């Protein structure tokens, strides 16, 4: 049996959908905080609240493999993940797959510390593991193009750094392969798409939309301030601005080729993702 945590999130839903193409639905469990939100997934649903360890034992009962999708509460992830790892060990899980962060062990991103701590806890547990070090999602850009089209600019602080973003579909496919394919135990994969600059992103948005859109590079503080002014919570704005600094330093791109090898095809290129996003507007 395969258990997927965070199964009602955007990535989790894609993993569940793709898993059902390879594994009978009765062998898949969606472990979620709010079971009522998972009624449409077509698989068994169990409650799993990272902040309530007593729910984790029943959620993982009988699990052979576990996909631990990183929690979304930045600052609380490390203890939440440790609770799941402890429950997985007690449940006798034979393979723990974790969605980490690209170059987690030496990344300068503020997000990296909790991923690094989780990786260390997984290794210390003795459970066979797969570390999927996911890069940035293309959707981080394509789902937020409305302001760029309205104001004619994509704001950032990445300079001419390159980001190896890929789609959630790509990362979900990698997770499914790690859960169902052979030879992945105790492997660490650096998952990155074809890299591009934010200047190239803006040029592609302009090309496809027929509107003038340019990339406006800001200092980190100015970028954070612009995000806060647009309604982004201050803490998350700081994370996003810090991520752009990481892009400038090369933290969010890799030449490993691991993503393509895992999913058996080239990752979705940025122009294709932009075209798909703008086609729905």
């Amino acid at each position: 049996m395969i258990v997927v945590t965070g199964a009602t999130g955007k990535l989790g839903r894609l993993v569940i959908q793709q898993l059902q193409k390879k594994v009978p639905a009765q062998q898949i469990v969606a472990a979620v905080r709010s079971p009522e939100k998972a009624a449409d997934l077509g698989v068994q649903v169990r409650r799993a609240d990272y902040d309530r360890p007593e729910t984790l034992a029943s959620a993982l009962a009988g699990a052979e493999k576990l996909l631990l999708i990183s929690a979304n509460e930045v600052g609380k992830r490390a203890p939440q993940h440790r609770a799941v790892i402890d429950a997985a060990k007690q449940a006798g899980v034979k393979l723990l797959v974790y969605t980490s962060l690209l170059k987690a062990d030496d990344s300068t991103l503020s997000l990296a510390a909790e991923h690094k701590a989780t990786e260390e806890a997984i290794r210390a547990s003795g459970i066979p593991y797969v570390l999927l070090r996911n890069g940035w999602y293309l959707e981080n850009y394509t789902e937020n193009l409305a302001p760029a089209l309205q104001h004619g600019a994509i704001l950032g602080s990445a300079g001419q750094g390159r980001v190896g973003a890929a789609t959630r579909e790509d990362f979900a496919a990698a997770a499914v392969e790690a859960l169902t394919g052979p030879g992945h135990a105790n492997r660490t994969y650096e998952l990155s798409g074809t890299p591009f600059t934010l200047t190239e992103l803006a040029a592609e948005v302009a090309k496809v939309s027929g509107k003038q859109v340019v990339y406006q590079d800001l200092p980190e503080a100015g970028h954070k301030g612009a995000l806060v002014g647009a309604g982004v919570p201050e803490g998350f704005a700081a994370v996003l601005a810090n991520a752009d600094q990481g892009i400038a330093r090369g933290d969010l791109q890799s030449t490993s080729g691991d993503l393509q090898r895992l999913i058996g095809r080239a990752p979705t290129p940025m122009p294709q993702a932009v075209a798909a996003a703008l086609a729905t507007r």
Side-chain angles (χ1 to χ4, degrees):
M1 184 168 61
I2 299 174
V3 177
V4 178
T5 72
T8 53
K10 292 180 179 179
L11 179 63
R13 284 183 171 274
L14 292 172
V15 170
I16 293 289
Q17 291 168 10
Q18 294 188 31
L19 266 178
Q20 290 181 78
K21 298 176 182 178
K22 291 193 170 187
V23 178
Q26 60 267 31
Q27 296 179 19
I28 304 169
V29 171
V32 297
R33 180 176 294 180
S34 302
E36 65 276 7
K37 296 180 180 179
D40 62 330
L41 290 177
V43 299
Q44 183 182 167
V45 177
R46 296 179 182 174
R47 182 172 184 182
D49 188 332
Y50 295 155
D51 294 321
R52 295 183 59 188
E54 68 273 14
T55 68
L56 300 176
S58 57
L60 299 184
E64 179 181 2
K65 299 178 182 180
L66 167 65
L67 174 61
L68 172 54
I69 294 179
S70 58
N72 59 12
E73 295 178 274
V74 176
K76 297 177 64 176
R77 286 168 160 174
Q80 289 176 333
H81 294 166
R82 281 196 297 271
V84 178
I85 295 163
D86 291 345
K89 186 171 183 177
Q90 293 174 8
V93 169
K94 296 180 174 61
L95 184 69
L96 196 165
V97 181
Y98 173 61
T99 60
S100 187
L101 177 71
L102 195 65
K103 304 179 182 179
D105 47 0
D106 58 10
S107 173
T108 64
L109 269 66
S110 60
L111 292 172
E114 290 184 300
H115 288 292
K116 183 178 180 180
T118 299
E119 290 187 3
E120 291 170 349
I122 290 171
R123 292 191 186 97
S125 74
I127 304 172
Y129 62 84
V130 184
L131 301 179
L132 299 176
R133 290 179 169 173
N134 291 355
W136 228 222
Y137 297 140
L138 274 166
E139 288 87 351
N140 290 347
Y141 302 112
T142 59
E143 290 180 352
N144 298 287
L145 291 177
L149 295 172
Q150 180 181 356
H151 300 293
I154 290 175
L155 304 182
S157 50
Q160 291 306 304
R162 306 184 75 81
V163 55
T167 64
R168 289 192 187 94
E169 287 273 4
D170 294 335
F171 291 123
V176 170
E177 170 57 27
L179 288 165
T180 62
H184 299 302
N186 299 325
R187 298 285 301 274
T188 298
Y189 295 108
E190 303 285 357
L191 304 183
S192 173
T194 303
F196 56 89
T197 67
L198 298 189
T199 297
E200 292 168 342
L201 171 66
E204 191 63 31
V205 172
K207 175 184 173 183
V208 176
S209 68
K211 298 182 178 181
Q212 182 177 0
V213 179
V214 299
Y215 171 57
Q216 183 176 347
D217 195 59
L218 303 170
E220 182 178 4
H223 183 198
K224 176 187 171 183
L227 291 169
V228 171
V232 177
E234 185 169 356
F236 189 49
V239 167
L240 293 177
N242 173 264
D244 266 25
Q245 296 297 298
I247 290 171
R249 290 186 287 264
D251 288 343
L252 283 173
Q253 65 165 318
S254 171
T255 58
S256 71
D258 286 346
L259 182 55
Q260 180 163 342
R261 283 190 289 273
L262 277 178
I263 66 179
R265 57 172 174 78
T268 306
M270 177 269 289
Q272 181 178 327
V274 168
L278 293 179
T280 61
R281 291 185 58 84

